[in-house]
Amino acid sequence: AAPYETETLLMNKTSGAQAAVSIAVVAAMTLLSPPSSAAGSAASFTSAQVVAGAKTFAGKCAQCHGAKLEGVSAPALKGPSLTSMGQNTGELFKFITEQMPAGNPGSLSKQEYVNVMAFLLKENGSPAGSKKLSYESALASRAPIGKK
């Protein structure tokens, strides 16, 4: 092949390889990007989940955390006592599912934990929406707790 043809062939191979790498990087970033709730927007939950969570909270959590989330023998779960801890939704949810209720951690169903989380989010200023909170989305959420 003539020198010009060799140079053109090498440029095409290099350009093709660079394009392939660029496409692969963009595809990986798209696939690995967290959903919006994980990226920091508020976790979505429904009013029905809040109502169910309030019932579970009253029966399983209020003895220690107070009927108004004010804290009795355990920390308050409303206002600065909770929001100033610096935990995001997923971190708090993980703690709750692994450590609560005290004396019997992990004893609630996944749905009960999700509903309690919806209740806590609502009580700390997040609005209910039309999309249900799932166990997986609660764990994955990096949204701050409370209004920001």
Side-chain angles (χ1 to χ4, degrees):
Y4 173 76
E5 290 173 337
T6 303
E7 186 177 312
T8 302
L9 183 61
L10 287 173
M11 284 177 47
N12 286 341
K13 283 184 179 179
T14 302
S15 296
Q18 287 173 338
V21 168
S22 295
I23 291 169
V25 168
V26 169
M29 288 172 56
T30 302
L31 291 173
L32 297 175
S33 292
S36 60
S37 65
S41 64
S44 182
F45 56 90
T46 66
S47 294
Q49 288 179 300
V50 173
V51 170
K55 289 178 184 174
T56 301
F57 186 89
K60 305 285 184 173
C61 314
Q63 179 180 345
C64 297
H65 292 286
K68 296 180 181 177
L69 293 88
E70 74 277 13
V72 178
S73 60
L77 296 177
K78 187 173 183 177
S81 297
L82 181 66
T83 58
S84 66
M85 291 173 35
Q87 289 180 311
N88 62 44
T89 299
E91 292 166 338
L92 179 60
F93 187 71
K94 184 177 190 300
F95 177 81
I96 292 169
T97 61
E98 293 177 353
Q99 303 296 320
M100 296 289 121
N104 198 9
S107 61
L108 304 181
S109 71
K110 283 185 174 185
Q111 192 58 56
E112 287 174 314
Y113 281 116
V114 167
N115 293 342
V116 167
M117 191 71 221
F119 172 66
L120 293 177
L121 291 170
K122 176 71 172 164
E123 288 296 310
N124 282 282
S126 295
S130 59
K131 184 179 175 193
K132 282 187 166 187
L133 181 64
S134 71
Y135 190 89
E136 294 74 20
S137 65
L139 274 177
S141 179
R142 299 296 169 247
I145 298 165
K147 288 183 180 177
K148 294 287 176 189

